[in-house]
């Protein structure tokens, strides 16, 4: 089966091909003989009942500094001429992101969008996880300084982060003395209209924050992300490093609980974050990463698993 694949992502010129999951998926699609096109979210257009974009055919290769070649741009009707759209632009999960999901909803039933745009819109990473409180660390969602202070008094040390943050940005650790808590709540209130997340600090994070990738509801692999020197954040974008890992029984229990719902929602490629082998902190559905590191450590071809899942859905 030869597919026409449109990849909605950030500029391909600036990606790090050594670890970029979107690039790995493009390489795998190309290896299967699929036709791959690239376009940016801002290139989406709707008119006369059609969703279309100015897209460029692209070929990719794992050569630093020479990793892509563009063909001439074309007008690509995503509902009529594309088989698959990979929605792979990075957050922030803002109104621009949400609007793109609404536009991509217009081609439902004709073109497979991965991940399903309505499900992405309804499952922001730090709020979707609230469906599974039995696996979460103590958590507060609030805009109130008084509530944050009470939560700190109860738990002794906390982490505060924006509800739609990503890649470990704007994540702060607050100690028992509550230093800077008032200032941070004030800053968050000025920067964002939505509530913020407060969680009990988990000392186990010093041993890593595990990224587990699920493909169509099934575990594909995992890596352990270790914080850099002087850091408590373990995100690779924040200086963390990846290491080989195995799943604990509790982590397998978490994956078994999430898997059927992810599959039902059309969330084919998902990355969940677990601390200390037991605490679920995020369910990443917008533009999850980690497959390149998993492939490097485990030899598991996660990209192939994702394309297998896509092709199975298209064959139904």
């Amino acid at each position: 089966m030869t597919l026409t694949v449109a990849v909605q992502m950030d500029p391909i010129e600036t990606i790090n091909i050594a670890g970029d999951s979107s690039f790995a998926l493009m390489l795998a699609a190309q290896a299967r003989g699929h036709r791959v096109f690239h376009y940016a979210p801002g290139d989406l257009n709707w008119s006369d009942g059609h969703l279309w974009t100015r897209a460029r055919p692209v070929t990719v290769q794992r050569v630093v500094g020479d990793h892509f070649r563009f063909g001439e741009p074309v007008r690509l009707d995503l509902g009529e001429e594309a088989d698959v759209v990979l929605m792979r632009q990075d957050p922030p999960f803002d109104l621009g992101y949400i609007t793109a999901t609404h536009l991509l909803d217009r081609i439902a039933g004709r073109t497979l969008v991965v991940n399903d745009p309505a499900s992405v819109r309804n499952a922001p990473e730090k709020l979707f996880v609230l469906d599974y409180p039995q696996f979460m660390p103590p958590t507060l969602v609030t805009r109130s300084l008084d509530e944050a202070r009470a939560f700190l008094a109860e738990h002794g040390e906390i982490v505060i982060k924006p509800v739609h943050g990503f890649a470990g940005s704007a994540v702060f650790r607050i100690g028992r003395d509550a230093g800077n808590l008032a200032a941070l709540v004030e800053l968050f209130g000025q920067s964002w209209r939505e509530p913020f997340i407060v969680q009990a600090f988990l000392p186990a994070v010093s041993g890593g924050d595990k990224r587990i990738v699920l493909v169509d509801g099934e575990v594909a692999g995992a890596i352990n992300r270790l914080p850099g020197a002087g850091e408590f954040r373990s995100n690779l974008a924040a200086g963390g490093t990846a290491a080989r890992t195995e799943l604990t029984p509790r982590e397998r229990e978490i994956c078994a609980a999430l898997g059927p719902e992810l599959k039902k929602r059309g969330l084919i490629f998902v990355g969940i974050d677990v601390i200390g082998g037991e605490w679920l902190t995020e369910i990443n559905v917008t533009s999850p990463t980690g497959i390149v590191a998993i492939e490097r450590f485990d030899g598991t071809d996660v990209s192939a698993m994702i394309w297998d899942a896509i092709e199975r859905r298209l064959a139904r």
Side-chain angles (χ1 to χ4, degrees):
M1 161 189 324
T2 299
L3 304 177
T4 297
V5 179
V7 185
Q8 177 177 302
M9 62 180 287
D10 300 313
I12 195 170
E13 294 87 346
T14 57
I15 63 173
N16 174 15
I17 67 170
D20 189 273
S21 293
S22 301
F23 186 74
L25 289 171
M26 294 167 77
L27 279 171
Q30 182 177 276
R32 292 183 177 218
H34 302 328
R35 300 169 63 230
V36 182
F37 291 81
H38 173 279
Y39 72 94
D43 294 331
L44 284 172
N45 305 276
W46 183 93
S47 61
D48 298 324
H50 292 268
L51 181 66
W52 56 278
T53 183
R54 289 290 176 189
R56 292 179 287 185
V58 62
T59 56
V60 290
Q61 59 183 359
R62 198 173 287 286
V63 178
V64 176
D66 187 24
H67 59 280
F68 71 97
R69 289 280 191 277
F70 279 140
E72 290 298 315
V74 299
R75 184 187 191 276
L76 185 67
D77 187 317
L78 296 178
E80 303 295 333
E81 299 173 316
D83 299 295
V84 181
V85 172
L86 297 183
M87 188 169 60
R88 291 291 306 171
Q89 80 267 26
D90 289 337
F93 189 76
D94 56 12
L95 282 175
Y97 208 115
I98 291 170
T99 301
T101 68
H102 281 294
L103 290 172
L104 289 168
D105 277 342
R106 306 294 166 181
I107 58 175
R110 292 178 288 163
T111 302
L112 179 63
V113 182
V114 180
N115 286 320
D116 178 83
S119 294
V120 167
R121 186 170 62 246
N122 293 330
E125 355 266 45
K126 296 180 180 66
L127 295 181
F128 184 17
V129 71
L130 302 183
D131 287 0
Y132 302 93
Q134 69 272 34
F135 301 125
M136 295 179 64
T139 299
L140 169 70
V141 183
T142 188
R143 285 179 59 89
S144 166
L145 174 59
D146 288 342
E147 295 298 333
R149 281 174 167 158
F151 190 87
L152 174 63
E154 179 180 359
H155 296 285
E157 196 168 6
I158 60 174
V159 169
I160 180 172
K161 53 189 176 182
V163 74
H164 294 306
F166 62 100
S169 61
V171 178
F172 297 90
R173 177 179 173 181
I174 303 294
R176 295 178 182 276
D177 63 357
N180 294 324
L181 178 60
L184 279 175
V185 170
E186 180 181 345
L187 176 63
F188 277 38
Q190 291 171 349
S191 301
W192 299 287
R193 296 183 63 183
E194 60 268 16
F196 50 88
I197 304 285
V198 187
Q199 289 182 323
F201 175 71
L202 302 174
V205 76
S206 63
D209 176 359
K210 199 170 294 186
R211 163 59 56 90
I212 306 170
V213 170
L214 294 97
V215 175
D216 217 13
E218 301 292 332
V219 174
I223 54 170
N224 194 31
R225 301 174 300 180
L226 299 166
E231 265 284 1
F232 71 94
R233 300 175 300 169
S234 54
N235 307 72
L236 301 184
T241 57
R244 185 189 303 274
T245 191
E246 300 289 339
L247 297 192
T248 67
R250 172 73 163 183
E251 288 165 342
R252 293 192 181 279
E253 179 187 355
I254 292 170
C255 293
L258 269 62
E261 184 65 20
L262 300 178
K263 187 180 182 73
K264 184 176 78 173
R265 293 190 184 207
L267 296 169
I268 292 176
F269 178 12
V270 174
I272 69 171
D273 297 338
V274 181
I275 294 176
E278 60 177 323
W279 298 112
L280 178 67
T281 59
E282 293 188 19
I283 304 173
N284 297 277
V285 304
T286 50
S287 183
T289 61
I291 64 176
V292 176
I294 291 172
E295 291 172 354
R296 184 170 69 248
F297 286 119
D298 293 350
T300 305
D301 193 343
V302 183
S303 299
M305 295 175 67
I306 292 169
W307 281 110
D308 286 345
I310 290 170
E311 291 171 7
R312 282 195 302 270
R313 285 186 175 248
L314 289 172
R316 290 176 182 173

